[in-house]
Amino acid sequence: MLLKPDCAHFQGDRPCFANKQFGKTCNDCEYYKKIGENILIIKFDAIGDVLRTTSILPAVKRNYPESRITWLTKSNATDIFIGNKFVDEVLAVENNFTLPKLLSQNFDLILHPDSNPVSSAYAKIISAKEKRGFTLDDKGKVQVCNEEAIEWFEMGAFDQLKKINQKTYQQIIHSLLKLNYSKDEIILSLTGEEKQFAERFYDENSLYRFKFIVGLNTGGSRRWKYKKWRIDGFKEVINELSNYPEIGILLFGGEIETELVSELKSFSDRVIDTGTKNSLREFFALMDLVDILVTGDTLALHVATALKKNVICLFGPTSSAEIEDYGRIIKITPDMDCLVCYKQDCDFVPNCMDKITSDMILEKINSLIKF
């Protein structure tokens, strides 16, 4: 047989790159790469969580260097993997062809670090020689595949355990997936076109006039409204930073922050709005312009971390201990006993995020750039 379907580059219905670019056939191809273990990683929610879960990829490749890795996620997270050299194929759960494609295979290993019942159903029905993390039992209830997943399973069920936990998310998921943790970074690569997009924004807004650029991320999430900081606090930080002409201020936010960003923009002519309707990849590219990002515990935190930026992160209802700081993240937490409550609503006045002062943030910015 002329063909070698066990090659990682074999496409099935079209020529591979070696044939297209160099005219190679399977008989004499030096690009032949036999597929090792066939591995499926399942992680659906949320975009920021999917992004930080990419930190497991170096450990997977260290254990299975010849493996072929497929990542199953939601369509809103697939763009995260553009330029990710660890992942061979990204499948969106919403696509009609995804499930039959997965059901036709017998994977060597499924890694599913999320106790979400929907994604656990996929871990249940897709065949694999070994499954790690979570699946469903015969009654449709989430259960662990291996004993290392019990700790995270219990933390998901009891807020009290999340509150006292001191391990980072990265430590926990490596452990439950039986991978050695070496503080590997979150994987995010910008394309040349995306870098050019950021450079155009840089030139159009004359950002070269600044020595430092501080990003203020106003976003939170629809689910966790208390991840957001108060608008008066942002105004106080902007007011103080405006005294230093060498510091540029970029505003970040999503569509749900449009009104808030507009108010901050009208408050001071020193702030530069990056826009609230950027695509996910444009958001990533613009985030690469900052030297320091001030943000809550949101997607922007994980993006800036992946881009190796200095980050000042404000914590209230969620766990600061779960965030791997990589030596670049400064954590600010108010002095309150009820932190890490994971509540979506709160009747405390002031609440945890209200108690974070602008002075606390300015002190940390000053420690990084000495203005």
Side-chain angles (χ1 to χ4, degrees):
M1 186 176 184
L2 274 177
L3 293 172
K4 292 183 178 177
D6 61 346
C7 176
H9 306 301
F10 180 69
Q11 298 291 314
D13 62 346
R14 70 202 71 173
C16 68
F17 84 96
N19 181 261
K20 275 289 189 187
Q21 293 183 25
F22 310 113
K24 295 289 182 181
T25 60
C26 293
N27 280 345
D28 62 347
C29 183
E30 65 267 38
Y31 298 101
Y32 169 71
K33 181 183 175 185
K34 187 173 182 178
I35 298 172
E37 296 81 2
N38 197 20
I39 297 175
L40 175 65
I41 299 172
I42 304 174
K43 176 63 183 171
F44 288 179
D45 296 310
I47 297 176
D49 272 350
V50 175
L51 179 58
R52 66 174 172 169
T53 303
T54 60
S55 62
I56 68 172
L57 290 167
V60 174
K61 276 296 184 185
R62 281 195 294 273
N63 282 9
Y64 308 99
E66 304 302 324
S67 60
R68 183 182 190 279
I69 297 177
T70 301
W71 193 301
L72 176 62
T73 188
K74 288 186 176 176
S75 56
N76 64 358
T78 56
D79 281 355
I80 285 173
F81 297 92
I82 293 173
N84 188 322
K85 296 179 179 176
F86 291 92
V87 178
D88 298 279
E89 185 173 27
V90 181
L91 296 175
V93 68
E94 295 92 340
N95 288 343
N96 291 334
F97 69 83
T98 292
L99 191 56
K101 183 168 188 175
L102 292 171
L103 291 176
S104 68
Q105 301 178 60
N106 182 25
F107 287 90
D108 292 292
L109 177 62
I110 289 179
L111 301 174
H112 178 229
D114 197 341
S115 57
N116 178 295
V118 176
S119 53
S120 292
Y122 285 81
K124 165 84 171 180
I125 64 174
I126 299 169
S127 297
K129 296 172 185 172
E130 182 182 0
K131 299 180 182 181
R132 301 178 190 172
F134 301 93
T135 184
L136 293 185
D137 65 17
D138 291 339
K139 295 180 179 177
K141 295 294 185 182
V142 179
Q143 67 173 11
V144 298
C145 300
N146 49 295
E147 65 179 14
E148 292 86 351
I150 293 174
E151 181 183 33
W152 188 235
F153 198 29
E154 291 179 341
M155 273 195 259
F158 304 117
D159 284 342
Q160 300 93 323
L161 297 181
K162 289 276 277 187
K163 189 178 179 72
I164 63 174
N165 168 57
Q166 293 301 308
K167 295 180 181 176
T168 68
Y169 174 80
Q170 279 86 334
Q171 284 179 292
I172 292 167
I173 60 169
H174 278 75
S175 174
L176 77 87
L177 297 175
K178 299 198 284 187
L179 300 169
N180 292 325
Y181 182 47
S182 300
K183 237 178 186 179
D184 293 302
E185 297 274 353
I186 300 168
I187 310 294
L188 179 60
S189 300
L190 296 178
T191 66
E193 189 175 325
E194 289 161 355
K195 290 176 182 176
Q196 288 174 8
F197 169 78
E199 287 169 3
R200 285 196 300 276
F201 184 91
Y202 185 91
D203 291 338
E204 288 167 4
N205 290 280
S206 305
L207 297 184
Y208 46 78
R209 63 196 146 125
F210 303 117
K211 188 175 180 183
F212 303 104
I213 297 177
V214 176
L216 301 178
N217 179 52
T218 60
S221 72
R222 296 182 192 278
R223 182 182 180 192
W224 303 105
K225 63 182 179 181
Y226 288 102
K227 285 185 176 182
K228 286 184 182 180
W229 196 38
R230 56 193 167 84
I231 189 167
D232 287 346
F234 280 116
K235 289 179 178 178
E236 291 162 11
V237 169
I238 291 168
N239 250 345
E240 179 60 23
L241 294 181
S242 296
N243 293 321
Y244 302 92
E246 70 271 29
I247 299 177
I249 307 168
L250 295 189
L251 284 180
F252 292 88
E255 284 199 71
I256 60 174
E257 284 83 41
T258 299
E259 190 175 330
L260 190 156
V261 167
S262 177
E263 182 174 340
L264 290 175
K265 190 178 174 183
S266 62
F267 169 74
S268 169
D269 58 9
R270 283 294 309 279
V271 299
I272 300 166
D273 180 14
T274 61
T276 56
K277 294 184 178 179
N278 293 303
S279 70
L280 190 62
R281 298 296 302 193
E282 289 170 342
F283 178 71
F284 294 170
L286 294 172
M287 188 67 69
D288 199 36
L289 294 173
V290 308
D291 297 295
I292 300 170
L293 180 72
V294 178
T295 181
D297 179 10
T298 70
L299 168 64
L301 163 65
H302 306 305
V303 174
T305 304
L307 294 171
K308 299 182 174 54
K309 303 298 177 181
N310 289 308
V311 179
I312 298 170
C313 191
L314 320 181
F315 293 93
T318 58
S319 171
S320 62
E322 280 186 19
I323 300 301
E324 183 66 73
D325 67 19
Y326 294 105
R328 302 188 296 272
I329 300 174
I330 297 174
K331 302 175 183 179
I332 294 181
T333 55
D335 184 17
M336 292 183 79
D337 292 335
C338 59
L339 294 179
V340 200
C341 64
Y342 282 91
K343 291 181 178 176
Q344 295 179 24
D345 211 346
C346 175
D347 55 7
F348 280 21
V349 180
N351 62 52
C352 52
M353 295 301 275
D354 288 340
K355 293 196 72 171
I356 294 175
T357 69
S358 56
D359 285 344
M360 294 163 76
I361 295 169
L362 290 163
E363 178 190 349
K364 299 304 182 187
I365 295 175
N366 192 27
S367 73
L368 292 169
I369 60 177
K370 307 294 183 190
F371 56 85

